[in-house]
């Protein structure tokens, strides 16, 4: 077709169909690639190579390179409105887009964009978003739950990025750790370091370090470079990224060490040429040839620009308002867009500004580094949503690889019943389940190294030793040598003889040999002054002073009271009277006056309570004494004869004493060998029972000993002596390929504190609270602070008694007449009597 004829044909389309002017707003770094895409797509639409509903002829396209969000934007959009531009396509970020959207709403210009907007309703009815934001957020939530991301880190750069997932994050049981990458962090090294520190604090390494990354394409790749330098490109990391459109071109250098990368995108693996009548591959390759540098997301950029221009052609005519018009258009309406096929799928809006019919794709970087399409999310305008995941059935994916590895890695594990390492538990349905520290450790290793296992208990319930000096072994060692088990995970220690026939990993628990015995019975001790212990010295002193003072008060009350005999209640007699009350004996004196009776009653109460407290405290002191250990070292154990001692027959503890060349341990071995009945037991449980029921000391590994002490308050460790330095390890056949892998993983679990956490779960799970009697040195006598109320009662009662005596004396003077004249007044007689008593009292 000649150029002249083509021009006439296009001119005819322009006359017959609708014409449209489009404004393109983008950033300077994307201007060249956007111009190239528009210059390729617009002519194809005008030449009707791309079929649209009706006839669409794009007469002009205006480009604006937006350096920042406030770069004379209002004036530039006004210029577009004056140029009769009705549709603006924004190839910009969310922050700039929100400003453009406000200004387009005032001028009734249609604003088409494609970025992930926060999950809330659009404020204006003059914009259409080609990006399926709501569906993208829904798919994100579904995958987080499906993949069981109960703990992950969310890395973002835009300040309002968490708004996009605010509904999703609010429904999670545990909120993720938020980590913002600042604009000044060009190398992303600070962000990568912050991620590593965050995971160290939150302990997200044991399973997998899960990270959701919402950065720009360039920031995402820069972040991967920084993570590579920090050693975070490994099997322990799983990244979910949102910015890229495929995993083929830019992440191939990160494929080693088994790092898992997942991607959510609108891009398909291949476009379907039947969807749109156009030679898409030719257009796309022409676009790639025209851009100077290959962008990070070439297909996504081209596809969204393509669909944006198609959408502009399907929106019909629109009346806009120029900036010079004073009267605003009162009612804005979204255009009615009939569904059409685009490069990003079916484009449909159903009367809203959000796409209602979309298809999203889940990609994964496979084990070999290839990009694999592992899932599809479909949603329709009717509201139906469907997620199809195919990762388990696609060779090369991480899930398929782990499943195949687990199927081929089913190991036979032997163990032994030993609390708290392996405990048998019968479920309500009759099935037998095993739990314990070793089972938890085995589960962790199986998860990290991707293997399955079957656990069985050793038949003869032995750890393993040579049979009568032959080359045959019994117990778990024998099962490994015969090929009945691939490994033994139990409290089994490394010995020289065992190491000759099998291999061991590095220890998962460090231990030594210590002594377990029953708590010794308390012994009573004797003392000449032991009867004084129930009361402190201060209480005894205050009691003596109280006795003397009360006796003086009784004498004074007797002198003041006219009814009382001053002859009977002299000072000496009053003391004797009170002492007799204290000792619950008769004194021969009887009070006649109310005052002396009141003081006597208070004294009686005081002595009654004081003696009761003395008796109770004396009984406690007679029954509680210091618990002394009969021995505190292995040498003292060998020198005593009261207690027998032994170990597990054939165990590493027995072999330690058997082959030792130290004299002390040789003597202990000879005594164990010659003991009758036998000093050896077959299990730890049997040894603990002998300790509880006999005078028997059980020599056992310190780790198991610590557990037994927490479970029984009658057991105790002898001293702090831990003999030797050994550990529990996993036993394997000679030359096993699993030895190095298990050792490396055990070291990793130890460094991260996971093994200590597992140990604490079982060692403290059923720990008893033992209420032991206090030793004698901690038993205190009854102090003054415990009985000061008694002395206060005595003082108060005595004071009231003296007050009564004064009242009686006053009553006698004023109301009873003295019939004898010239007789000495009663008060003067009282004073003289007191003086006489003082003079006649014995000198001290």
């Amino acid at each position: 077709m000649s150029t002249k004829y083509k021009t006439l044909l296009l001119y005819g389309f322009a006359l017959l169909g609708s014409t449209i002017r489009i404004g393109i707003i983008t950033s300077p770094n994307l201007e060249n690639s956007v111009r190239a895409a528009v210059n390729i797509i617009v002519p194809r639409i005008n030449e009707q190579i791309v079929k649209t509903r009706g006839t669409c002829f794009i007469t002009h396209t205006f480009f604006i390179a937006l350096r920042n969000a406030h770069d004379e934007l209002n004036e530039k959009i006004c210029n577009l409105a004056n140029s009769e531009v009705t549709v603006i396509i924004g190839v910009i970020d969310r922050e700039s887009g929100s400003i453009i959207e406000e200004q387009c709403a005032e001028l009734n210009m249609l604003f088409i964009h494609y970025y992930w907007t926060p999950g809330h309703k659009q404020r204006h009815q003059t914009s259409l978003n080609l990006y399926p934001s709501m569906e993208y957020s829904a798919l994100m939530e579904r995958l987080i739950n499906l993949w069981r991301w109960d703990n992950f880190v969310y890395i973002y750069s835009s300040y309002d990025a968490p708004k996009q997932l605010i509904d999703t994050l609010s429904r999670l049981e545990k909120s993720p750790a938020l980590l913002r990458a600042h604009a000044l962090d060009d190398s992303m090294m600070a962000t990568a370091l912050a991620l590593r520190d965050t995971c160290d604090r939150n302990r997200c390494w044991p399973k997998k370090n899960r990270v959701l990354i919402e950065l720009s394409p360039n920031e995402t790749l820069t972040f991967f470079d920084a993570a590579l330098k920090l050693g975070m490109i490994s099997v322990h990391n799983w990244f979910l990224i949102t910015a890229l459109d495929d995993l083929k071109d830019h992440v191939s250098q990160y494929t080693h060490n088994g790092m898992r990368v997942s991607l959510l995108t609108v891009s398909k693996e291949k476009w379907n040429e039947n969807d749109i009548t156009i030679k898409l591959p030719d257009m796309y390759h022409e676009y790639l040839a025209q851009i100077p540098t290959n962008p990070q997301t070439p297909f996504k950029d081209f596809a969204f620009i393509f669909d944006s221009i198609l959408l502009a052609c399907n929106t019909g005519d629109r009346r806009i308002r120029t900036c010079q018009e004073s009267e605003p258009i009162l009612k804005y309406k979204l255009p009615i867009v009939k569904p059409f096929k685009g490069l990003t799928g079916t484009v449909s809006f159903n009367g809203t500004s959000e796409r209602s019919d979309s298809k999203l794709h889940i990609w994964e970087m496979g084990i070999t580094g290839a990009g694999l399409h592992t899932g599809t999310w479909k949603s329709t305008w009717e509201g139906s949503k469907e997620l199809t995941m195919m990762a388990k059935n696609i060779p090369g994916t991480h899930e398929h690889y782990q499943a195949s590895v687990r199927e081929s890695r089913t190991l036979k594990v032997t163990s032994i019943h030993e609390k708290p390492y392996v405990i048998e538990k019968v479920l309500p349905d009759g099935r037998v389940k095993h739990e314990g520290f070793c089972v938890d450790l085995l589960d962790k290793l199986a998860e990290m190294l991707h293997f399955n296992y079957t656990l069985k208990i050793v038949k003869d319930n032995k750890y393993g030793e040579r049979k009568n000096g032959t080359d045959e072994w019994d117990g778990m060692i024998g099962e490994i040598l015969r090929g009945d088990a691939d490994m033994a995970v139990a409290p089994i220690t490394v010995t020289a003889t065992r190491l000759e026939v099998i291999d061991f990993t590095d220890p998962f628990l460090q231990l030594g040999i210590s002594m377990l015995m029953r708590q010794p019975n308390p012994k009573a001790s004797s003392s000449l002054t032991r009867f004084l212990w129930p009361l402190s010295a201060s209480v005894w002193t205050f009691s003596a002073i109280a006795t003397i003072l009360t006796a003086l008060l009784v004498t004074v009350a007797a002198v003041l009271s006219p009814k009382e005999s001053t002859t009977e209640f002299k000072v000496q007699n009053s003391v004797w009277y009170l002492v007799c009350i204290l000792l619950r004996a008769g004194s021969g004196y009887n009070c006649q006056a109310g005052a002396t009776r009141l003081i006597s009653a208070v004294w009686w109460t005081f002595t009654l309570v004081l003696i009761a407290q003395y008796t109770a405290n004396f009984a406690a002191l007679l029954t509680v004494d210091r618990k002394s250990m009969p021995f505190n070292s292995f040498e003292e154990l060998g020198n005593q004869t009261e207690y027998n001692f032994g170990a597990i027959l054939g165990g590493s503890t027995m072999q330690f004493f058997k082959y030792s060349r130290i004299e002390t341990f040789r003597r202990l071995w000879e005594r164990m060998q010659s003991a009758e009945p036998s000093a050896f037991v077959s299990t730890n449980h049997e040894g603990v029972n002998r300790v509880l029921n006999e005078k028997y000391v059980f020599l056992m590994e310190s780790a198991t000993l610590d557990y037994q002490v927490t479970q029984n308050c009658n057991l105790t460790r002898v001293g702090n002596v831990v003999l030797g330095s050994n550990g529990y390890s996993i036993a394997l056949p000679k030359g096993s390929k699993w030895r190095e892998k298990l050792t490396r993983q055990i070291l990793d679990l130890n460094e991260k504190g996971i093994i200590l956490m597992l140990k604490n779960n079982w060692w403290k799970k059923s720990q008893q609270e033992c209420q032991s009697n206090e030793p004698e040195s901690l038993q205190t006598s009854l102090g003054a602070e415990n009985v000061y109320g008694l002395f206060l009662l005595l003082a108060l009662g005595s004071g009231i008694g003296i007050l009564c005596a004064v009242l009686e004396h006053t009553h006698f003077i004023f109301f009873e007449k003295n019939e004898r004249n010239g007789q000495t007044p009663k008060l003067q007689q009282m004073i003289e009597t007191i003086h006489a008593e003082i003079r006649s009292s014995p000198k001290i």
Side-chain angles (χ1 to χ4, degrees):
M1 183 181 299
S2 65
T3 305
K4 183 178 179 181
Y5 180 77
K6 185 183 296 186
T7 303
L8 291 175
L9 181 62
L10 294 177
Y11 181 73
F13 281 141
L15 293 176
L16 296 175
S18 62
T19 61
I20 186 172
R21 296 188 175 209
I22 297 175
I24 311 292
I25 301 179
T26 185
S27 58
N29 60 324
L30 295 176
E31 183 179 4
N32 291 331
S33 60
V34 172
R35 280 183 180 274
V38 172
N39 291 336
I40 292 172
I41 297 170
V42 169
R44 302 302 193 277
I45 293 177
N46 288 340
E47 295 171 9
Q48 291 296 294
I49 295 177
V50 176
K51 296 292 185 181
T52 60
R53 293 183 180 274
T55 303
C56 174
F57 188 81
I58 302 172
T59 59
H60 292 83
T61 54
F62 300 87
F63 286 91
I64 296 177
L66 191 63
R67 290 178 176 81
N68 57 68
H70 305 282
D71 185 21
E72 301 176 355
L73 186 57
N74 185 50
E75 181 181 350
K76 292 180 179 180
I77 293 181
C78 285
N79 292 336
L80 292 178
N82 293 334
S83 301
E84 299 182 355
V85 171
T86 58
V87 178
I88 293 180
I89 298 175
V91 189
I92 33 79
D93 56 28
R94 184 168 52 248
E95 182 179 0
S96 302
S98 61
I99 299 175
I100 298 173
E101 184 179 358
E102 292 277 356
Q103 296 176 345
C104 287
E106 294 180 3
L107 302 176
N108 197 28
M109 300 174 73
L110 181 63
F111 178 51
I112 299 175
H113 56 89
Y114 53 90
Y115 47 74
W116 190 8
T117 55
H120 57 74
K121 256 189 176 181
Q122 294 288 332
R123 293 172 296 173
H124 305 288
Q125 295 297 311
T126 58
S127 67
L128 294 174
N129 188 7
L130 273 171
Y131 202 92
S133 300
M134 301 296 290
E135 299 304 321
Y136 201 90
S137 299
L139 174 58
M140 187 77 70
E141 180 178 356
R142 180 75 68 87
L143 290 178
I144 288 175
N145 294 324
L146 179 66
W147 289 335
R148 298 180 181 178
W149 276 29
D150 51 352
N151 188 19
F152 66 95
V153 182
Y154 180 27
I155 300 179
Y156 61 97
S157 56
S158 177
Y159 75 95
D160 64 343
K163 294 180 182 178
Q164 298 157 177
L165 290 175
I166 188 168
D167 294 334
T168 299
L169 300 181
S170 63
R171 286 190 287 267
L172 297 177
E173 293 184 5
K174 184 177 181 181
S175 299
L178 301 180
L179 181 59
R180 185 180 178 188
H182 293 281
L184 297 178
D185 186 16
D186 295 333
S187 65
M188 285 291 166
M189 181 59 68
T191 304
L193 285 171
L195 171 63
R196 190 173 65 178
D197 293 341
T198 301
C199 285
D200 287 340
R201 291 194 305 270
N202 296 339
R203 295 183 178 273
C204 56
W205 299 106
K207 293 182 178 179
K208 235 181 198 8
N209 178 24
R210 297 171 168 86
V211 186
L212 171 59
I213 301 178
E214 197 210 332
L215 303 171
S216 68
N218 184 59
E219 290 173 336
T220 301
L221 297 177
T222 306
F223 171 80
F224 279 148
D225 288 336
L228 181 64
K229 295 175 183 177
L230 294 178
M232 297 172 63
I233 304 300
S234 66
V235 70
H236 298 291
N237 295 274
W238 184 358
F239 297 102
L240 174 58
I241 57 180
T242 62
L244 302 178
D245 59 1
D246 65 64
L247 296 171
K248 297 177 182 178
D249 300 327
H250 304 289
V251 295
S252 58
Q253 58 180 320
Y254 312 114
T255 58
H256 60 285
N257 291 344
M259 179 185 72
R260 185 171 180 179
V261 180
S262 298
L263 169 68
L264 306 184
T265 181
V266 296
S267 303
K268 299 184 293 184
E269 182 179 10
K270 293 180 181 179
W271 49 68
N272 187 354
E273 296 187 11
N274 294 326
D275 292 345
I276 305 172
T277 57
I278 183 176
K279 296 181 178 179
L280 289 176
D282 295 339
M283 289 177 60
Y284 182 61
H285 291 309
E286 183 181 352
Y287 162 71
L288 292 179
Q290 290 187 15
I291 55 179
T293 57
N294 190 21
Q296 281 82 11
T297 56
F299 182 79
K300 185 169 75 172
D301 294 339
F302 182 81
F304 272 117
I305 293 173
F306 184 89
D307 287 355
S308 297
I309 297 175
L310 282 183
L311 177 60
C313 283
N314 284 272
T315 55
D317 295 331
R318 189 176 188 88
R319 179 180 177 274
I320 64 172
R321 180 178 71 86
T322 63
C323 296
Q324 290 75 25
E325 293 184 28
S326 58
E327 295 183 4
I329 298 175
L330 300 178
K331 191 173 183 180
Y332 307 134
K333 288 185 178 180
L334 283 173
I336 299 175
V337 181
K338 295 183 179 180
F340 64 90
K341 292 289 185 180
L343 287 183
T344 60
T346 301
V347 179
S348 173
F349 289 91
N350 196 26
T352 66
S353 60
E354 291 284 338
R355 287 182 68 169
S356 58
D357 191 348
S358 59
K359 180 185 291 187
L360 296 171
H361 304 275
I362 301 125
W363 291 78
E364 179 180 309
M365 186 171 68
I367 298 296
T368 61
L372 302 173
H373 186 221
T374 59
T376 304
W377 169 273
K378 294 180 180 179
S379 64
T380 62
W381 64 272
E382 295 94 344
S384 64
K385 305 178 190 298
E386 180 184 359
L387 175 63
T388 304
M389 296 297 292
M390 305 166 288
K392 292 182 179 180
N393 302 320
I394 300 176
T397 63
H398 286 262
E399 291 187 29
H400 185 273
Y401 172 75
Q402 291 172 7
S404 60
V405 166
R406 287 180 180 274
E407 291 177 2
S408 62
R409 292 182 174 182
T410 301
L411 303 179
K412 295 175 290 184
V413 181
T414 182
S415 191
I416 190 171
H417 281 149
E418 193 69 70
K419 292 183 178 181
Y421 303 99
V422 178
I423 305 171
E424 186 179 86
K425 181 179 180 181
V426 180
L427 300 178
D429 58 1
R431 292 184 296 111
V432 176
K433 177 186 176 183
H434 291 97
E435 61 181 12
F437 171 80
C438 284
V439 178
D440 289 349
L441 175 63
L442 193 55
D443 289 338
K444 284 288 182 186
L445 294 173
E447 179 183 3
M448 303 307 294
L449 297 177
H450 310 298
F451 66 83
N452 287 330
Y453 69 89
T454 57
L455 178 65
K456 65 175 182 177
I457 303 302
V458 61
K459 295 179 181 179
D460 56 7
N461 204 35
K462 292 183 179 180
Y463 288 87
E465 66 171 341
R466 293 185 187 273
K467 293 182 180 179
N468 301 322
T470 65
D471 290 337
E472 271 192 68
W473 288 71
D474 57 15
M476 291 181 286
I477 307 298
E479 290 195 349
I480 292 177
L481 292 175
R482 291 190 298 270
D484 297 335
D486 297 314
M487 68 173 69
V489 182
I492 184 170
T493 54
V494 183
T495 64
T497 54
R498 290 173 179 171
L499 202 55
E500 292 177 358
V501 294
I502 60 174
D503 280 341
F504 287 92
T505 64
D506 284 2
F508 56 81
L509 274 185
Q510 297 292 334
L511 53 94
I513 300 172
S514 193
M515 297 177 280
L516 179 72
M517 69 173 294
R518 186 177 57 197
Q519 291 274 12
N521 293 324
K523 297 181 179 179
S525 59
S526 60
S527 174
L528 292 176
T529 59
R530 189 175 180 82
F531 70 93
L532 296 175
W533 289 358
L535 301 180
S536 65
S538 59
V539 176
W540 286 116
T541 303
F542 292 154
S543 299
I545 295 174
T547 303
I548 295 173
L549 292 178
T550 307
L552 291 175
L553 292 177
V554 170
T555 302
V556 171
V559 172
L560 291 175
S561 178
K563 296 182 181 180
E564 202 62 80
S565 171
T566 57
T567 305
E568 286 188 356
F569 285 99
K570 299 179 181 180
V571 175
Q572 300 93 326
N573 294 342
S574 296
V575 173
W576 173 252
Y577 171 70
L578 295 179
V579 171
C580 289
I581 292 177
L582 175 66
L583 300 177
R584 303 295 183 265
S587 63
Y589 301 110
N590 293 316
C591 299
Q592 301 299 324
T596 53
R597 287 181 178 181
L598 178 60
I599 295 174
S600 299
V602 173
W603 176 257
W604 198 303
T605 304
F606 170 78
T607 58
L608 180 67
V609 177
L610 185 66
I611 290 176
Q613 291 184 331
Y614 171 88
T615 305
N617 208 32
F618 195 24
L621 286 171
L622 287 176
T623 55
V624 176
D625 200 354
R626 183 188 302 275
K627 294 181 179 180
S628 57
M629 304 298 292
F631 45 85
N632 289 287
S633 66
F634 285 94
E635 186 173 358
E636 293 178 4
L637 176 65
N639 293 333
Q640 59 82 41
T641 57
E642 182 180 2
Y643 284 81
N644 294 324
F645 50 88
I648 290 181
L649 181 64
S652 61
T653 303
M654 186 199 81
Q655 293 178 17
F656 172 83
F657 289 98
K658 181 178 180 179
Y659 297 108
S660 177
R661 295 295 178 263
I662 300 176
E663 180 60 28
T664 299
F665 303 145
R666 291 293 301 170
R667 287 191 293 108
L668 292 174
W669 168 247
E670 290 171 0
R671 279 192 55 182
M672 284 189 282
Q673 224 178 1
S674 60
E676 289 292 340
S678 175
F680 300 108
V681 295
S682 57
T683 63
N684 281 327
H685 180 69
E686 183 182 345
V688 172
N689 285 337
R690 287 191 65 174
V691 168
L692 292 172
N693 299 317
E694 305 173 19
K695 285 194 171 183
Y696 180 81
V697 178
F698 189 31
L699 308 178
M700 63 189 304
E701 287 89 354
S702 57
T704 308
L705 184 148
D706 291 339
Y707 171 77
Q708 294 295 341
V709 169
T710 63
Q711 304 306 301
N712 196 319
C713 295
N714 294 321
L715 298 175
T716 185
R717 177 202 287 266
V718 179
N720 294 319
V721 180
V722 177
L723 193 62
S725 179
N726 210 328
Y728 292 147
S729 301
I730 296 177
L732 300 157
K734 278 287 186 182
S736 173
K737 66 178 182 179
W738 290 100
R739 181 184 177 279
E740 185 178 349
K741 297 177 182 178
L742 290 170
T743 294
R744 186 168 58 249
Q745 199 59 54
I746 287 172
L747 291 175
D748 185 59
L749 295 177
N750 258 320
E751 290 175 358
K752 292 181 171 65
I754 297 172
I755 289 183
L756 179 61
M757 179 184 66
L758 296 179
K759 181 183 176 184
N760 290 338
N761 287 342
W762 288 99
W763 265 247
K764 297 179 180 179
K765 187 174 183 180
S766 55
Q767 184 173 0
Q768 297 184 4
E769 295 293 336
C770 300
Q771 297 179 347
S772 59
N773 292 327
E774 284 186 293
E776 178 184 331
S777 60
L778 298 180
Q779 288 287 344
T780 57
S781 301
L782 200 65
E785 66 277 3
N786 303 114
V787 294
Y788 75 91
L790 280 177
F791 289 96
L792 181 63
L793 174 65
L794 178 62
L796 182 63
S798 300
I800 295 174
I802 291 298
L803 180 62
C804 291
V806 171
L807 292 176
E808 287 180 359
H809 182 73
T810 304
H811 180 272
F812 177 76
I813 291 176
F814 289 99
F815 294 98
E816 294 186 21
K817 294 182 179 180
N818 191 350
E819 297 179 355
R820 294 177 295 177
N821 294 326
Q823 193 175 29
T824 305
K826 185 68 174 177
L827 180 59
Q828 183 178 352
Q829 183 181 359
M830 176 192 69
I831 296 173
E832 291 177 356
T833 302
I834 293 175
H835 288 170
E837 291 291 342
I838 294 175
R839 286 194 299 270
S840 63
S841 61
K843 303 291 183 180
I844 299 177

